[in-house]
Amino acid sequence: MMLAELDNNSNLPAGIYYFINIMRDAFVKNQVRRYRQLQGRDNRKIIGTYCITVPEELIYAAGAIPVRLCGGSYEASCIGDELVPRDTCPVVKASVGFTSLNPISLYQMCDAVIVSTTCDAKRKLGEELSNYTEVWMLEVPHIKDTDGSRRQWIQQLYTLKKNIEKLTGRKFIGRRIRRKALEDSIGIINRARYQARRLYEIRKSPAPVILGREAMLAINAYSYDIAFEWTRAMSELNDELEALYHKGQFVCSEYTPRILIAGSPMIFPNWKIPSLIEEMGAVIVTDETCMGNRYLYDPIGTTEKSVKDMMVGIAARYLMPCVCPSFTPNEDRLYRLLQMAEEFNIDGIIYHVLKGCVVYDFELIRVEKIMKEKNIPVLRIETDYNPEDIEQLRTRIEAFIEIINSKKRKMKEA
């Protein structure tokens, strides 16, 4: 339904249709044919991932294809309901549901999957998925500021690298091949991150040139695309959006309430919260979720081009700047939210909590406290993928946006 609505919108930038089609391939058409083509005659391996802490650079360097499998489907979560405990989050339910389906899909095409231990549900997800496919658990330290944690993390990445090499059959004996492959893959994904940051900067404009639900969909599409193809399409979209800005063609006025989405990830096709926010007259100008801006923001920095140096750079990038609430202490996330609220001139925050997602809910009180000091209202929305609560959510979001509008009118009159 969401994709059909977008297709019927004649005001969309032309560049967004590439990402709509990626989502259509993933969720409407049979995406197996496309991935068979990507595998080619060499039968390249496909490796599924379940978190942004999985370094895709290692997968590309081994000649394999990464695909992020975190599930956002209500129908798949209903299937998963029968396989995992009732109070498990819908991301895990949908992921298990998709994997257990009999018809061949992208989930069944994966030769192995990598599951990060960022929360209790993800740890148990790995056990459940092992009934269907090969699973490699990636132990992510929850305290990232100690020498022991960093040593443990880089050891985990070297173990992961060996697993990938064994699966793909690549012989990384020659120093040149190993170094060059890693260097190339780091460059490929860093270029994707550069384009993602361009979009991030474009969305700061006082009057937006793209709605948030469309921008978030474009970032979500990275999960199901090849990095260099996504980068090319995102570069074209950014060029188009910058041209629209210079022509003064905006999607809403500078007085439209500006919303930041924080909390649990928004995973397509569960698009009810972004759609409701913008249907109620606000605009999502940014988000700090792991399927949004946090996914493709920080680049990998290396001072030398040895394999050891690049592995250290990869380890640092996937651990230190990450503000996932699974880390403790996590003051960096509060600082990051304050920084985004200021940079994007935020009027209000929708704090999204998926049922069963305790780590995000735990940090809500501290987020509310710091935002109260900045006079920025926060609305907590707890939901799952079930569409039955849409009207209830609509009422709450509409009231929240009306409060923001009233506040803006008073400021304008003062």
Side-chain angles (χ1 to χ4, degrees):
M1 178 65 77
M2 171 69 188
L3 296 175
E5 290 175 2
L6 288 172
D7 276 338
N8 293 329
N9 185 350
S10 59
N11 296 321
L12 292 180
I16 200 69
Y17 287 99
Y18 174 86
F19 305 102
I20 294 173
N21 288 331
I22 289 293
M23 289 310 200
R24 182 173 286 109
D25 286 345
F27 293 99
V28 181
K29 296 181 179 178
N30 187 348
Q31 73 271 49
V32 171
R33 179 181 298 178
R34 180 169 181 268
Y35 273 84
R36 291 287 188 219
Q37 292 173 345
L38 292 173
Q39 285 181 299
R41 293 180 179 176
D42 297 335
N43 194 26
R44 296 170 66 188
K45 302 295 184 183
I46 298 176
I47 299 177
T49 69
Y50 279 95
C51 184
I52 59 169
T53 55
V54 177
E56 293 182 354
E57 288 84 355
L58 298 179
I59 299 174
Y60 278 118
I65 304 168
V67 55
R68 190 168 173 193
L69 297 175
C70 295
S73 162
Y74 170 61
E75 290 75 14
S77 72
C78 291
I79 298 170
D81 245 336
E82 305 296 323
L83 302 169
V84 299
R86 181 191 61 188
D87 293 333
T88 305
C89 78
V91 177
V92 168
K93 286 182 180 177
S95 301
V96 173
F98 266 132
T99 306
S100 67
L101 290 173
N102 287 327
I104 295 177
S105 74
L106 189 54
Y107 285 76
Q108 279 74 40
M109 289 184 68
C110 288
D111 298 284
V113 299
I114 305 168
V115 182
S116 295
T117 59
T118 45
C119 68
D120 290 344
K122 285 285 183 69
R123 269 191 288 276
K124 306 312 288 184
L125 170 66
E127 287 185 26
E128 192 61 34
L129 294 181
S130 66
N131 294 322
Y132 306 95
T133 187
E134 182 171 356
V135 177
W136 304 328
M137 299 302 294
L138 186 62
E139 183 69 35
V140 181
H142 297 294
I143 301 173
K144 59 186 180 182
D145 294 332
T146 67
D147 290 341
S149 294
R150 293 169 190 166
R151 282 197 298 273
Q152 174 198 337
W153 177 234
I154 201 162
Q155 286 170 359
Q156 284 285 313
L157 295 190
Y158 271 108
T159 300
L160 176 65
K161 179 172 174 288
K162 287 181 181 177
N163 285 334
I164 295 172
E165 289 170 351
K166 183 178 179 183
L167 176 75
T168 56
R170 297 292 293 267
K171 305 298 183 184
F172 285 97
I173 298 173
R175 181 181 177 85
R176 181 181 174 187
I177 295 174
R178 181 172 57 182
R179 183 191 63 77
K180 185 70 166 60
L182 263 182
E183 184 181 357
D184 289 349
S185 65
I186 288 172
I188 288 169
I189 301 182
N190 272 353
R191 286 190 283 277
R193 292 176 180 129
Y194 171 75
Q195 293 301 329
R197 290 198 303 278
R198 272 186 74 195
L199 179 64
Y200 179 91
E201 294 297 324
I202 289 169
R203 295 175 70 192
K204 288 180 180 176
S205 66
V209 292
I210 185 170
L211 290 176
R213 58 187 172 184
E214 293 152 14
M216 292 171 70
L217 181 142
I219 297 292
N220 258 231
Y222 180 84
S223 300
Y224 308 99
D225 203 0
I226 302 300
F228 70 86
E229 292 185 0
W230 183 92
T231 303
R232 174 190 51 75
M234 182 56 75
S235 175
E236 293 175 0
L237 175 63
N238 286 331
D239 290 345
E240 183 181 0
L241 295 177
E242 287 174 349
L244 291 173
Y245 175 80
H246 291 301
K247 292 176 183 175
Q249 296 181 8
F250 305 112
V251 294
C252 57
S253 83
E254 59 186 295
Y255 302 109
T256 303
R258 299 168 67 86
I259 300 296
L260 182 157
I261 291 183
S264 304
M266 303 280 178
I267 305 175
F268 196 86
N270 176 44
W271 228 231
K272 61 183 178 182
I273 300 299
S275 296
L276 285 172
I277 291 170
E278 298 192 328
E279 285 172 14
M280 292 299 103
V283 60
I284 303 162
V285 290
T286 191
D287 72 90
E288 63 94 42
T289 73
C290 59
M291 286 296 286
N293 286 323
R294 198 189 305 155
Y295 194 2
L296 287 169
Y297 188 78
D298 302 289
I300 290 176
T302 54
T303 55
E304 299 176 8
K305 299 301 180 185
S306 67
V307 170
K308 181 180 178 181
D309 181 67
M310 287 187 278
M311 287 295 289
V312 170
I314 290 171
R317 187 274 172 199
Y318 281 89
L319 184 67
M320 298 312 293
C322 186
V323 293
C324 173
S326 67
F327 293 114
T328 184
N330 200 26
E331 299 303 314
D332 290 350
R333 181 167 180 245
L334 301 179
Y335 172 79
R336 181 75 184 123
L337 283 168
L338 283 172
Q339 184 184 42
M340 294 176 78
E342 182 176 349
E343 287 180 347
F344 287 86
N345 194 23
I346 295 300
D347 295 310
I349 294 177
I350 301 284
Y351 198 95
H352 174 234
V353 178
L354 285 171
K355 289 179 180 175
C357 188
V358 176
V359 289
Y360 274 107
D361 211 7
F362 224 98
E363 293 198 348
L364 172 66
I365 294 174
R366 280 184 284 169
V367 173
E368 288 178 324
K369 182 180 179 182
I370 61 167
M371 291 303 164
K372 187 176 181 180
E373 293 170 359
K374 298 294 181 182
N375 198 26
I376 296 175
V378 178
L379 175 66
R380 175 184 181 274
I381 293 286
E382 182 177 9
T383 183
D384 53 20
Y385 295 166
N386 192 329
E388 290 184 355
D389 63 353
I390 283 182
E391 293 309 315
Q392 181 189 22
L393 295 175
R394 186 192 304 277
T395 301
R396 294 187 63 205
I397 292 171
E398 184 177 22
F400 182 68
I401 292 171
E402 179 51 37
I403 290 171
I404 294 173
N405 274 323
S406 176
K407 178 182 168 186
K408 289 170 77 76
R409 282 195 296 269
K410 289 178 182 176
M411 290 176 64
K412 191 176 179 181
E413 292 167 2

